[in-house]
Amino acid sequence: MEEGPGQDAPVTRRRVLALGAGGVAVLLAGGAGLAGSRSGGGAAGAGASGAPASRAAGTFSPDTAAAVLANRARAVRDGDRMAFLATVGSAPAAFQDAQSRVYGNLRRLPLEGWRERVVDTEAVDGETAVVRVEVRYRLRGFDRSDVARTRYLTLAPRAGTWTIVGDGTSRGLADDTDIWDCGPLAVVRGRAGLVIGDGAGLDGIAERLDAAVPVVTSVVGKAWAQRVVALVPADATLASALAGPGQSLGQIAALATVAPAAGGGRGEDRVVVSPGTFGRLNELGRDVVLTHELTHVATGGARDRRTPLWLIEGFADYVGYRRVKISTRSAAGELRREVSAGRVPSALPAAGAFAGGSPRLSQAYQEAWLACRMVADRYGEAALVRLYRAAGRAPEAAALRDVLGLTRERFTALWRDYVKEELA
């Protein structure tokens, strides 16, 4: 867990499984993701394109920028590449090339609206103006509200008007990354998933998501969207940026996160698939990882700040393993070795045990999984679902008492016995 309850940053859950002959290893890496601008060019100063600045353009105002942005939105809607590129026609070649890629990618997306609006003017120095822009868009058939992204654009007077000449990197301003910052996008739409990216295996991911949705629904019920958007960039740095501030997906196969909503709403669920790591998983591992992350989408695990993390992650693993054939001893290989050596865990894993630098990270996931599996085995799957939902509304001790009739101490003792029975 990267951000725990009570913290201000968006909550995300991340998970990787490497499944092979030796069993299951769960890896989680910490580190700061670089959410830098990928627009292909910094903010150009006056005259950067070789053209002289034109005072005839008049004094800059936000309305001036708004008119340029309206032309861009209209060009995206109408499929007018020339009109879109005309708004950056005086920018350096690298920025124009990047904007051309962005336009092509936007046209490939099933957009239900895309627009930019000026939020603030960051700087005006007479020759250039830097504005902060909110980008709003919605993916048709999947997003219920507009997603919001922040971008920075530099404008300068050229040939009697103001035009976009770069981004905000020259002033240390970094854009929010989105999937259109990839190379040429491909879009695959399955029955339940919209898979977007320039990475490999998009068709296979769509098929796995289609197969996972009924598995998740059979456990949690139908009261969720039963669909998801998966982002599959080919570049690992871009994947980390898509995952959110401070994320690093270098050793992570997939992550459930929330794209911020315009106006501060609930946001839209996304599953970010990390390019290299997911590709190194075997077939079983890919099924488990995507079902695990889809469970977070179905239960709101990526935005949950109340439910204990052992229950959030253990429940997702319970659902993830539900349709696969793997022995408990293999799936919990690291924990089994400790139990065989006489080191039975004394307490349920705390939130810190799921942090990237935790020395017993694999064991924390395995302990959480077995706690949820015990509830399902002894009290029924319906009781596990009720416990999960109750823990999202009430303190953990109250949820255990109300659903299972157990104190936390008694639950822990039963779980320790279960771990010994399953792994000794």
Side-chain angles (χ1 to χ4, degrees):
M1 181 181 183
E2 290 70 56
E3 294 85 30
Q7 295 179 314
D8 295 331
V11 177
T12 54
R13 311 293 177 204
R14 57 190 189 177
R15 171 80 162 156
V16 61
L17 291 170
L19 292 164
V24 180
V26 182
L27 306 176
L28 220 76
L34 177 62
S37 169
R38 297 184 55 85
S39 58
S49 66
S54 172
R55 295 297 182 180
T59 303
F60 175 82
S61 74
D63 290 341
T64 302
V68 177
L69 301 182
N71 289 338
R72 285 161 63 84
R74 185 163 47 250
V76 170
R77 183 194 66 209
D78 296 343
D80 191 339
R81 175 182 289 273
M82 290 184 64
F84 185 90
L85 295 182
T87 65
V88 296
S90 298
F95 187 80
Q96 292 189 52
D97 289 344
Q99 288 289 292
S100 178
R101 289 194 299 273
V102 167
Y103 171 84
N105 285 339
L106 289 172
R107 289 294 300 170
R108 294 182 183 97
L109 295 175
L111 291 174
E112 187 177 320
W114 183 90
R115 64 188 179 96
E116 301 167 305
R117 71 179 185 93
V118 177
V119 175
D120 198 8
T121 301
E122 298 290 330
V124 179
D125 62 13
E127 298 296 331
T128 61
V130 181
V131 295
R132 175 158 50 97
V133 174
E134 181 190 61
V135 182
R136 293 190 177 197
Y137 74 95
R138 191 180 302 197
L139 296 175
R140 185 180 301 108
F142 287 84
D143 292 343
R144 290 167 288 187
S145 60
D146 286 348
V147 172
R149 285 286 187 254
T150 296
R151 297 257 154 158
Y152 297 92
L153 295 173
T154 297
L155 292 90
R158 298 286 188 269
T161 187
W162 286 81
T163 184
I164 298 169
V165 294
D167 53 28
T169 53
S170 68
R171 296 181 180 270
L173 300 170
D175 295 345
D176 291 341
T177 302
D178 213 308
I179 193 62
W180 54 68
D181 294 312
C182 286
L185 288 179
V187 178
V188 176
R189 182 160 186 165
R191 295 189 307 277
L194 182 68
V195 185
I196 307 168
D198 62 340
L202 271 61
D203 290 294
I205 291 171
E207 291 173 1
R208 293 178 193 280
L209 290 172
D210 286 346
V213 165
V215 175
V216 175
T217 300
S218 70
V219 179
V220 306
K222 297 181 179 180
W224 66 290
Q226 299 182 61
R227 62 183 185 270
V228 69
V229 175
L231 308 178
V232 191
D235 179 79
T237 300
L238 183 57
S240 295
L242 287 169
Q247 302 297 331
S248 176
L249 269 64
Q251 300 182 68
I252 296 167
L255 177 149
T257 189
V258 179
R266 70 184 296 277
E268 296 296 331
D269 291 298
R270 301 285 190 261
V271 172
V272 180
V273 178
S274 186
T277 312
F278 187 84
R280 291 193 295 271
L281 298 178
N282 63 20
E283 299 297 308
L284 176 60
R286 296 178 189 183
D287 287 342
V288 173
V289 163
L290 290 178
T291 307
H292 177 110
E293 298 305 330
L294 197 59
T295 303
H296 287 324
V297 171
T299 59
R303 52 172 59 87
D304 190 342
R305 293 173 178 268
R306 180 156 193 169
T307 306
L309 192 51
W310 68 262
L311 186 52
I312 290 175
E313 296 296 355
F315 185 77
D317 262 1
Y318 170 81
V319 181
Y321 281 118
R322 195 170 183 268
R323 62 173 172 144
V324 302
K325 293 183 179 180
I326 185 171
S327 70
T328 306
R329 292 169 64 85
S330 293
E334 289 82 1
L335 184 58
R336 176 179 57 82
R337 285 191 285 274
E338 290 186 352
V339 172
S340 297
R343 300 193 303 275
V344 179
S346 59
L348 291 162
F354 296 92
S358 171
R360 297 185 67 255
L361 187 60
S362 297
Q363 292 91 327
Y365 273 95
Q366 293 157 12
E367 290 165 358
W369 171 52
L370 288 174
C372 291
R373 192 167 177 267
M374 179 196 74
V375 174
D377 283 353
R378 297 192 174 182
Y379 299 89
E381 186 174 89
L384 174 60
V385 175
R386 289 198 303 274
L387 176 64
Y388 189 97
R389 291 173 176 164
R393 300 187 300 266
E396 177 184 350
L400 289 169
R401 181 191 65 240
D402 294 345
V403 176
L404 304 180
L406 300 173
T407 64
R408 195 177 195 279
E409 292 74 19
R410 180 57 180 159
F411 179 84
T412 301
L414 291 173
W415 163 72
R416 293 182 75 246
D417 290 341
Y418 185 81
V419 169
K420 288 187 286 187
E421 291 169 5
E422 293 293 315
L423 301 181

